[in-house]
Each structure stands twice: as C-alpha cells, then as structure tokens.
C-alpha cells in the first residue's frame, strides 16, 4: 500500500498556485476548444503536449487533464445551441439539448449539461482514486507472459470495436506497431528503419505523430472547405425568468437516477479499451429513456436525457485512466496521448507507477478533483462567452490551430526535422483516412508498440516460444481463452448482421 504521508504529500503538491493556475488554464482552454465544432479536447491535447516540455511533470500532465475535462463541458455548448456537438461525445446531448434550446431555454439546457457532467466526472474520479492502487498491486503480480496476452486482448477489443472491420483494424494495428519499431532496438540497440537519419535513433517524435495523424488532416480539411462564415446559433434571450434559465435543486435531484446510471455506464465502459465516451453517452441515454415513465418525452427537451448523456461521457474520462495507470494500456486516444506525455517526462505508466511515482499520481488525482470544481465555476461564468465562441469563423479558428501545430512541433520535435516528420505523418494520416483505416487504432498501437515488443521478447525467452508452456501461466491461458471467445462472439454478431432479411 502507498504510505499515507506520500498520499498527503501528493495531494499537497496539487494545491500550489502554479499547479492550480495551469489546471484552471487547461479547463478554460478545454471549454473554449470544446465549444468550437471540429477541434475538441483530443486535438487540443495533441497541440498542447509540446508546450508542456518546460513544465514540471505534475504541472504539465495536470494541464493536459484540465483540457480533457474542460473539453467535455465545452462540447455540450454547440450541441445545445446549433445541434452540432463540439465533440462526438456530446452527440447524445444534442438529442434533448437542442429541442430545449429551441423552446427558448438554452441556458437551462447548458446548465443541466454542466451539472451532470461535473457530477459524472467526479463520481468516476472517486472510483479511479479508490480502485487504481489496489488494481496496481494485482497488476504487479503479472509477469511478461500475462502482460503480453493482456496487450493482445486489448488489441483485439480495439480492432473489433473501433477498427471498422477486423481486416481494416488489423492493418491499422500492424502499421502502428511497424512505425513504433523505428529507432534503436530496445534489446540490442540496433538501428532499424532510420534510413540514415540519426534523428530517428530515438524513434519518430511523439509530437509529429500526434499532430500529423490526429490534428493536421482535420485542420487542412476544414481550411479547404473554409467558407469563413460564422455559424448561426440559438439566441440566448435576455431577462428570462429564473425557471427558464437555471436548474433548481428539485430538478437536479429528479435527475439523480439518470446521472447515477450514466456515471455507472461511463465508468464501466471507460475502463475497457476502445469503447469510448460516445458509445457510453448513447447507451446511458437509451437506458434512461427505456426506464422513464414517459419515454415519448425524450427527444423533445427532457433534461433527464441531457443528464444521462453528459454524466456518462464525462465519467469515461476518469475511468480511462484506470487501465492506463494500472497496466499502461490506454482506453482512448486521449489516454494514449497522456501516455506520450508521461514518457516525455521520463515516466512509464503501469503498475510500478504507484511504487515509483506515488506522490505524482496522488498529485494528479488531486488535480483531477480540482479540475472538476473549476469546470463547474468556469462553466457557470462562461456560458454566454462560449455561446459567442460557437459563432467564431472557422477560418480564424483553424488557421490559429495550424500555426500552433507548426510552432509546437518545431519547438518540441527538433526544429525542421520535426516539421518534415509531421508533414510525412500528415500525408500518412490522410491516406489512412481516405482508405477507411482507423487512425485511433493506429495511434494506440504506436504508443503501445515499444512495450509490446519488449514484452513479446521477454515472454518468448520465458516460454521458448512453446504454447505448451502456457499451462504454467494460468492467467495468460485464461486471457487467451477470453480473447478467442471475444473474437468468436464478435464474428457471430457480424455474421448475423450480414444475413439477408
């Protein structure tokens, strides 16, 4: 167990002016980018990573977590005002948020989204703080063979659920793993796939991959489409009665089961790799509608629909960090980017993290709780401001994002070499998207590639490459059975869908 004085020291590290200031900056930036359709917190985190080089690890990672949390709150604003979610996570929020805004109650819809988002996020964070340390103790008992089969199970889940088809997901996975081999062999330090470029000895720069694959293709696409026009939004009436612009305690309390259901679904799904917050929001929304006394009221401005969707998508954020911190396996692209940020600061996510960096982890937990409070107050104060951001011209927003990408990769990835690498990665990202391959699978495979290779090598040494040796590793054998069962169930489900009606 982590000593109590270390936990206190970690939490105390959060409550310093510098950390709190950067958490606040992250929340404000996250809500801002979340309110702009097309950017979103993942893109913002990718752009911000190079700028965290000069920060202390706790400061930099807390800043990124603040962006992620703020982005989910901001994403609900355009979903309510223009029926276009700022992030995919808020798509379910628009189902009832936009109709309520059309009834002349946009502030009421946005406040319900804010309150339920903070509630779901806080519930998920409490579970993360409670279970991650015990899970890390269990994870420490896993050796290379068990970790290898755990990684294979994670790859299978991500390929099946995110990859589109097994074939396309498998190709994206292999490409990500292949690109992760660029640089020095971790076992013998032999250069691989560097083509005479000494800058590639340390592998492809994280910033170039994150910005080139995730950000620039979307920025270029938006700029190419760029009409430059601002988007019309629902007007926020001035001088409304309090009942039309605020959420009373009675209304909040009436949504307690919807928020609890959303937080539970979001936490469970967030702890599993690959499922994501969009699916969690829709599942929670559907479950709440089915259990309601008047299901027909959903889709027409029911605040319970907003509460279920927002509490679920926000609960995924904290739960995503459970496999990341305990096993080093990201549950989403945002979590994968955090792995990159950890590595930039010389920290390896995984079960040993609680033993080697316990103070940092509990400082991060403190920052997450602080970010939830800040999300609440910033959201309260900034709703009218974010409603103006929704109308900002795309040309201005995405040109600014392009300049930040160029500056960030130049500073963080070795000058012009970083820029050339980012452009090559952008081309790769465009090709992958055009051919229908999942960039999410590709990115997660890239970030897990070096660990997969090291674990594979260690497991091969232990077993001699013999499957019979697996009988000495019952946990690995059980994971293999679960993996095969998951593939069989997935194939069966796909075949049923393919049958003619």
């Amino acid at each position: 167990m982590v000593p109590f004085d270390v936990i206190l020291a970690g939490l105390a590290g959060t409550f310093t002016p510098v950390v709190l200031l950067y958490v606040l900056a992250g929340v404000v930036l996250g809500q801002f980018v979340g309110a702009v359709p097309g950017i979103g917190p993942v893109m913002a985190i990718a752009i911000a990573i190079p700028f965290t080089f000069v920060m202390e690890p706790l400061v930099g990672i807390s800043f990124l977590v603040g962006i992620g949390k703020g982005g989910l709150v901001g994403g609900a604003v355009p979903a309510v005002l223009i029926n276009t979610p700022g992030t995919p996570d808020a798509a379910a929020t628009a189902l009832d948020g936009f109709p309520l805004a059309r009834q002349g109650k946009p502030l009421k819809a946005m406040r319900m989204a804010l309150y339920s988002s903070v509630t779901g996020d806080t519930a998920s964070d409490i579970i993360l703080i409670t279970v991650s340390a015990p899970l890390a103790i269990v994870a420490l008992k896993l050796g290379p063979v068990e970790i290898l089969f755990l990684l294979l199970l994670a790859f299978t889940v991500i390929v099946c659920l995110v990859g589109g088809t097994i074939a396309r997901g498998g190709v994206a996975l292999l490409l990500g793993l292949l690109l992760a081999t660029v640089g020095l062999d971790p076992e013998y330090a032999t250069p691989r796939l560097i083509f005479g470029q000494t800058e590639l000895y340390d592998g492809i720069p994280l910033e170039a991959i994150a910005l080139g694959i995730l950000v620039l293709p979307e920025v270029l696409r938006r700029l190419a489409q760029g009409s430059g026009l601002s988007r019309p939004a629902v007007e926020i009436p001035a001088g409304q009665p309090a009942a039309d612009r605020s959420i009373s305690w009675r209304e909040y309390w009436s949504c307690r089961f919807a928020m609890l259901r959303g937080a539970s679904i979001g936490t469970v799904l967030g702890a599993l790799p690959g499922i994501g917050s969009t699916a969690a929001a829709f599942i929670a929304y559907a479950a709440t509608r089915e259990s309601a006394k008047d299901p027909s009221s959903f889709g027409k401005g029911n605040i319970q629909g907003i509460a279920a969707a927002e509490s679920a998508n926000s609960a995924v954020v904290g739960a995503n960090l459970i496999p990341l911190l305990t096993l080093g396996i990201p549950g989403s692209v945002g979590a994968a980017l955090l792995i990159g940020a950890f590595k930039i600061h010389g920290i390896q996510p995984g079960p040993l993290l609680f033993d080697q960096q316990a103070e940092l982890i509990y400082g991060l937990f403190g920052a997450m709780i602080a970010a939830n409070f800040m999300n609440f107050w910033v959201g309260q104060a900034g709703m009218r401001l974010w409603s103006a951001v929704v109308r900002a011209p795309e040309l201005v927003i995405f040109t600014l994002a392009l300049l930040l990408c160029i500056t960030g990769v130049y500073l963080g990835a070795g000058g012009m070499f970083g820029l050339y690498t980012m452009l090559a990665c952008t081309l790769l990202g465009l090709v992958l998207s055009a051919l229908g391959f999942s960039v999410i699978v590709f990115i997660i495979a890239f970030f897990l590639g070096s660990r997969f290779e090291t674990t594979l090598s260690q497991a091969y040494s232990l077993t001699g490459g013999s499957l019979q040796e697996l009988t000495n590793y019952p946990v690995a054998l059980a994971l293999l059975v679960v993996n095969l069962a998951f593939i069989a169930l997935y194939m069966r489900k796909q075949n049923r869908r393919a049958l003619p009606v």
Side-chain angles (χ1 to χ4, degrees):
M1 289 294 292
V2 179
F4 190 62
D5 61 324
V6 175
I7 295 175
L8 285 181
L11 293 174
T14 302
F15 297 99
T16 60
V18 175
V19 175
L20 291 177
L21 188 63
Y22 273 98
V23 172
L24 177 62
V27 167
V28 173
L29 180 60
Q31 290 198 10
F32 172 81
V33 298
V36 181
I39 290 191
V42 170
M43 190 183 288
I45 289 173
I47 293 174
I49 282 178
F51 297 97
T52 66
F53 278 2
V54 295
M55 302 177 189
E56 292 294 320
L58 178 59
V59 176
I61 294 170
S62 299
F63 176 59
L64 298 177
V65 168
I67 294 175
K69 285 176 175 284
L72 286 174
V73 169
V77 175
V80 168
L81 294 180
I82 59 174
N83 201 23
T84 303
T87 64
D89 318 279
T93 308
L95 296 176
D96 276 293
F98 186 64
L100 192 58
R102 295 290 298 271
Q103 295 168 21
K105 304 173 184 176
L107 279 176
K108 192 181 192 72
M110 286 191 286
R111 286 206 162 94
M112 190 67 245
L114 171 65
Y115 299 161
S116 50
S117 178
V118 172
T119 303
D121 203 352
T122 305
S124 174
D125 286 351
I126 291 171
I127 293 173
L128 166 71
I129 295 168
T130 308
V131 306
S132 55
L135 279 179
I137 294 173
V138 174
L140 277 173
K141 298 184 183 302
L142 303 178
V145 181
E146 289 87 356
I147 294 291
L148 173 66
F149 281 89
L150 193 62
L151 285 171
L152 289 173
L153 177 60
F155 286 153
T156 300
V157 172
I158 292 168
V159 164
C160 291
L161 299 184
V162 185
T165 64
I166 289 183
R168 289 182 184 277
V171 171
L173 177 79
L174 292 175
L175 283 174
L177 293 176
L178 176 65
L179 218 61
T181 63
V182 174
L184 297 178
D185 168 15
E187 195 167 0
Y188 302 106
T190 306
R192 301 175 304 191
L193 301 175
I194 64 170
F195 303 105
Q197 300 294 321
T198 54
E199 293 91 342
L200 288 175
Y201 273 6
D202 292 330
I204 296 177
L206 163 72
E207 306 81 1
I209 283 285
L211 296 175
I213 296 287
L214 287 177
V215 182
L216 272 189
E218 179 65 18
V219 168
L220 295 177
R221 188 175 68 82
R222 292 298 187 115
L223 286 176
Q225 294 175 347
S227 60
L229 298 176
S230 58
R231 295 166 283 263
V234 171
E235 290 293 336
I236 299 179
Q240 279 187 299
D244 288 345
R245 59 181 162 81
S246 61
I247 297 292
S248 66
W249 169 253
R250 187 175 180 180
E251 287 173 315
Y252 176 82
W253 188 244
S254 71
C255 296
R256 62 190 183 283
F257 292 119
M259 287 188 283
L260 181 62
R261 190 180 294 109
S264 304
I265 291 173
T267 302
V268 171
L269 296 187
L272 302 174
I275 297 182
S277 48
T278 306
F282 276 105
I283 291 171
Y285 181 85
T288 301
R289 185 181 58 192
E290 291 303 315
S291 62
K293 292 180 181 176
D294 182 16
S296 63
S297 65
F298 282 73
K300 300 174 182 173
N302 191 324
I303 58 171
Q304 296 210 19
I306 302 172
E310 280 297 308
S311 63
N313 68 28
S314 297
V316 170
V317 176
N320 265 178
L321 297 187
I322 294 175
L324 172 68
L325 296 178
T326 56
L327 298 167
I329 298 175
S332 64
V333 175
L337 291 176
L338 284 182
I339 280 191
F342 273 105
K343 288 182 177 178
I344 284 171
H345 291 285
I347 301 163
Q348 177 63 48
L352 288 175
L353 198 56
F354 282 84
D355 187 41
Q356 298 171 346
Q357 299 281 349
E359 194 171 318
L360 170 69
I361 292 305
Y362 281 93
L364 176 61
F365 289 160
M368 292 172 73
I369 297 296
N372 292 342
F373 283 102
M374 291 178 186
N375 238 340
F376 178 80
W377 292 113
V378 172
Q380 283 277 56
M383 281 181 184
R384 290 184 183 275
L385 177 62
W386 305 143
S387 66
V389 169
V390 168
R391 307 179 189 190
E394 287 188 347
L395 189 61
V396 174
I397 296 293
F398 287 99
T399 302
L400 182 62
L402 179 62
L403 289 174
L404 286 173
C405 286
I406 293 171
T407 307
V409 83
Y410 185 86
L411 294 175
M416 293 305 296
F417 171 76
L419 282 177
Y420 295 143
T421 311
M422 180 178 71
L423 291 176
C425 292
T426 303
L427 183 61
L428 178 61
L430 289 169
V431 171
L432 287 175
S433 298
L435 296 178
F437 296 114
S438 169
V439 293
I440 298 175
V441 176
F442 175 85
I443 285 287
I444 292 179
F446 174 78
F447 282 114
L448 288 178
S450 62
R451 187 170 188 203
F452 176 71
E453 184 181 358
T454 304
T455 309
L456 179 64
S457 174
Q458 292 171 339
Y460 185 84
S461 299
L462 287 171
T463 62
S466 170
L467 288 177
Q468 288 183 343
E469 285 294 316
L470 288 182
T471 54
N472 297 322
Y473 300 92
V475 174
L477 203 56
L479 289 168
L480 176 61
V481 171
V482 172
N483 203 343
L484 294 175
F486 183 87
I487 294 172
L489 286 173
Y490 178 80
M491 296 291 291
R492 185 180 174 188
K493 189 175 178 182
Q494 294 298 106
N495 289 336
R496 280 185 177 176
R497 285 183 181 172
L499 287 175
V501 179

